[in-house]
Amino acid sequence: MFMITVILSIKILNSDDCPITEHTVIRYVAKTPGRTAKPENASDHRLALLVPYRERFEELLEFVPYIHNFINRQHISHDIFILNQVDGYRFNRASLINVGYLQVKSSYDYIAMHDVDLLPLNDNLSYAFPKQPYHLAAPNLHPRYHYAKFIGGILLINREQFNLVDGLSNNYWGWGLEDDEFFVRLKEANLNITRPENITTGINNTFRHIHGKERKRDTVKCHNQREVTRKRDRKTGLHNIKYEVTSWKNMTIDDVPFTIINIKLDCDFNKTPWCNCTAKSNTVTNKNKETKSLK
Ligand SMILES: *[C@@H]1O[C@H](CO)[C@@H](O)[C@H](O)[C@H]1NC(C)=O
Ligand SMILES: *[C@@H]1O[C@H](CO)[C@@H](O)[C@H](O)[C@H]1NC(C)=O
Ligand SMILES: *[C@@H]1O[C@H](CO)[C@@H](O)[C@H](O)[C@H]1NC(C)=O
Ligand SMILES: *[C@@H]1O[C@H](CO)[C@@H](O)[C@H](O)[C@H]1NC(C)=O
Ligand SMILES: *[C@@H]1O[C@H](CO)[C@@H](O)[C@H](O)[C@H]1NC(C)=O
Ligand SMILES: *[C@@H]1O[C@H](CO)[C@@H](O)[C@H](O)[C@H]1NC(C)=O
Ligand SMILES: *[C@@H]1O[C@H](CO)[C@@H](O)[C@H](O)[C@H]1NC(C)=O
């Protein structure tokens, strides 16, 4: 399956003068604002792909053209936003998504919170407008995470519902648990997480995880991070995130347009001192390899 997909992808990129088939890239005429042209027969819904990012250039080169072609085959209006964290603090995936959302919400009615290193392989995985939060990278399909409450990787949610739960917590500096906290937000708001059905390709052939094994995850815990980040956060979210957008860059990879938003997050050391663990005395290494669900 994987090899077939690679071959198809290569074919897609070179198929300009082939007759149009299911897997041919269709080059559309722009009809709506935004960087990517509206596909023929697309609905009026508009998807913003929000991709938290820092220093993963090789993955970006692969991700942008791949995901654009995948979503175009479904005739969905979309634009890709790479949320590039340019401050010196630890990576904060959740806050980057909050910022990306605030920046683009006026022009899109749903978002995909999307890892840069997870590529969908099965065309049955739908990026269509979700009535309820739609977890594409379901535990029975994701190559690596299989716990029932997992909602990371790729999650689609509409604007109304993302607003309703006040976005994501801003407390999660470093790797992990922010998605588990978001799960609790959705549950408390009585939203029903939905997932793909009747996917026959299983955990090995539904996604390709392009995360290099050599890349170390930032799983350090310092100060009171461990206690605080295991609890539902009722204080932070969209309404009080502090940040600065330093620039927007319109770019293309293999002719596919996307936008980089350079983001400087602000950290309040009194509230989340673990945004910078350089003070070694308080630092302990997290021995647990995988995250556990929030209690
Ligand atoms: C990027 O592209 C969008 C849509 O075409 C346009 O509105 C915006 O002005 C562009 N931004 C820059 C910095 O060129
Ligand atoms: C768009 O819809 C029309 C009418 O249903 C159909 O003939 C056409 O093939 C569709 N185009 C694409 C690209 O699916
Ligand atoms: C993190 O803390 C170290 C040590 O105090 C300091 O040198 C560094 O500038 C801090 N980083 C940021 C982004 O504040
Ligand atoms: C979620 O599902 C429950 C039980 O089926 C239902 O009562 C509730 O209305 C649903 N919530 C939404 C937002 O549709
Ligand atoms: C999945 O398969 C079941 C049984 O065939 C069917 O009832 C259901 O509608 C299918 N779901 C989707 C989303 O196609
Ligand atoms: C895609 O969905 C259809 C309809 O539910 C199903 O018959 C088919 O087995 C699915 N294909 C894969 C590769 O999951
Ligand atoms: C997935 O791949 C692994 C490693 O090749 C294999 O051990 C496992 O049985 C496969 N799982 C399924 C469900 O095919």
Side-chain angles (χ1 to χ4, degrees), residues 26 40-41 75:
I26 302 163
E40 197 180 329
N41 296 349
H75 304 276

Side-chain angles (χ1 to χ4, degrees), residues 122 124 198-201:
N122 184 330
N124 278 4
N198 304 337
I199 299 287
T200 60
T201 41

